[in-house]
């Protein structure tokens, strides 16, 4: 079952990702952008976890941030 993070938890998770993974959020977002064309949220999370050996929470936070930024671009 998927967990739902609060906005504060999401921001805290994003802040820890560079320390835990050695890569900046912008690098991870670019990786998702250049990755396979998956449509479902959980498919993207699963791909990121298995392809890049990330923890579920980190992968979920990256995909959530990617989706938020992508939606914001569409509004502009």
């Amino acid at each position: 079952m998927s967990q739902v993070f609060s906005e504060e938890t999401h921001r805290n998770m994003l802040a820890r990702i560079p320390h835990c993974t050695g890569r900046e959020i912008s690098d991870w977002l670019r990786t998702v952008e250049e990755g396979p064309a998956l449509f479902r949220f959980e498919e993207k999370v699963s791909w990121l976890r298995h392809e890049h050996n990330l923890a579920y929470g980190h992968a979920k936070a990256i995909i959530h941030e990617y989706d938020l930024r992508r939606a914001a671009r569409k509004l502009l």
Side-chain angles (χ1 to χ4, degrees):
M1 182 196 299
S2 181
Q3 300 170 334
V4 176
F5 296 141
S6 70
E7 183 64 27
E8 180 181 3
T9 300
H10 175 67
R11 293 288 158 218
N12 288 337
M13 182 77 73
L14 286 180
R16 289 192 306 266
I17 287 174
H19 174 73
C20 294
T21 67
R23 292 177 63 185
E24 295 297 320
I25 295 300
S26 59
D27 292 337
W28 285 116
L29 297 176
R30 194 169 26 264
T31 297
V32 173
E33 182 71 29
E34 294 169 356
L38 302 171
F39 295 102
R40 292 182 49 235
F41 183 86
E42 287 298 329
E43 288 176 324
K44 295 176 196 175
V45 170
S46 181
W47 170 77
L48 205 52
R49 289 182 67 209
H50 294 101
E51 187 71 22
H52 297 282
N53 200 29
L54 290 177
Y56 176 76
H58 291 154
K60 183 176 176 179
I62 291 166
I63 298 301
H64 182 63
E65 186 66 18
Y66 174 81
D67 287 348
L68 287 173
R69 291 183 186 196
R70 192 168 133 217
R73 284 193 309 256
K74 287 183 178 181
L75 292 175
L76 298 176

